[in-house]
Amino acid sequence: MTGSPTENQNLLRKLRRMRILVIHPDDEDRIAFVAHLKRIGCQVEMMWPSPAALPEHADVVFFLLGPERDSNLISWMSTAEDTARIAIITFETPEILGELARLNVHGVISKPIRPFGVLAALTTAIGLSRHETTLKTRIKSLDDSLRSRRKVEQAVAILSETRKIDEQEAYKRLREKSQNSQTSIGEIADAIIAAHDV
């Protein structure tokens, strides 16, 4: 590992707190792979076949992606937003590559599973998953702000029309009402729109 000894220790400490689920048949590959993850210090749980729903406690999932479509895998994959997902593949067929893209995995390791590269795949997948979650949170916040802004503009137009004042004065009154009542300007706007609709 590169980086300072402290950074390396922090990274390993984080990995040791990770709860990892391995969805893979019980064979020699899985035995060796799980042993390697435990040597790193990870908390590992194993399942096979793929569950219908992903356990809530899983931070990282390694799953075998085969040529046949696994409906359980696809159902939980769409809801596993905060979970780093790493596919284990045997072949690089067009179908498998298409599934990797469609399932939006954060990392890939190939069979036979070798210890070299597992740590890199794990740390990269965790980083990508966290970055993706941060971006989704920001997008949701921006969407909420945009919706609120539209409501405020609508409420300003209503006030301007009903009170026969200009929009600047209407916005000022809206803001003052928000501050005096310690209520968000969006909630005040909602109330004005609802009252106007009635």
Side-chain angles (χ1 to χ4, degrees):
M1 278 189 236
T2 58
S4 71
T6 306
E7 287 172 343
N8 294 340
Q9 286 172 349
N10 287 339
L11 174 62
L12 287 173
R13 210 172 290 125
K14 283 178 189 172
L15 289 176
R16 287 181 184 130
R17 286 196 299 265
M18 292 288 141
R19 291 159 303 182
I20 295 177
L21 174 62
V22 177
I23 302 172
H24 190 286
D26 186 9
D27 59 14
E28 287 181 17
D29 261 351
R30 188 176 89 173
I31 292 166
F33 180 51
V34 167
H36 180 63
L37 290 172
K38 287 182 176 177
R39 274 195 301 276
I40 293 169
C42 303
Q43 304 166 43
V44 187
E45 185 180 342
M46 296 149 282
M47 282 187 180
W48 188 258
S50 178
L54 188 65
E56 287 181 15
H57 60 269
D59 298 310
V60 181
V61 178
F62 285 91
F63 62 94
L64 181 64
L65 183 60
E68 67 289 335
R69 179 165 292 212
D70 184 339
S71 57
N72 281 346
L73 181 67
I74 284 139
S75 67
W76 66 253
M77 191 70 79
S78 62
T79 58
E81 289 187 0
D82 298 331
T83 305
R85 302 177 299 274
I86 304 171
I88 302 168
I89 63 171
T90 307
F91 305 105
E92 289 184 337
T93 64
E95 292 78 20
I96 292 286
L97 297 175
E99 284 295 286
L100 290 173
R102 204 173 66 71
L103 294 173
N104 191 30
V105 298
H106 302 109
V108 178
I109 59 173
S110 59
K111 290 188 73 169
I113 302 169
R114 293 182 177 85
F116 180 77
V118 168
L119 200 52
L122 187 55
T123 54
T124 302
I126 291 166
L128 283 173
S129 175
R130 287 185 177 163
H131 183 65
E132 187 178 82
T133 300
T134 301
L135 289 177
K136 284 179 179 174
T137 303
R138 285 184 187 168
I139 289 166
K140 185 184 179 307
S141 176
L142 288 170
D143 283 347
D144 291 346
S145 296
L146 190 58
R147 268 192 294 275
S148 178
R149 186 178 202 139
R150 285 183 185 139
K151 287 178 183 176
V152 168
E153 287 171 358
Q154 190 179 349
V156 164
I158 291 167
L159 282 178
S160 178
E161 182 187 326
T162 57
R163 301 289 167 91
K164 306 297 183 212
I165 55 177
D166 64 29
E167 290 194 350
Q168 192 172 359
E169 178 62 23
Y171 179 73
K172 184 181 169 191
R173 288 187 188 183
L174 192 64
R175 197 178 65 219
E176 284 172 357
K177 176 73 174 169
S178 169
Q179 289 168 345
N180 293 339
S181 63
Q182 295 184 337
T183 308
S184 77
I185 198 164
E187 288 175 292
I188 301 291
D190 276 338
I192 289 168
I193 293 163
H196 182 70
D197 287 346
V198 169

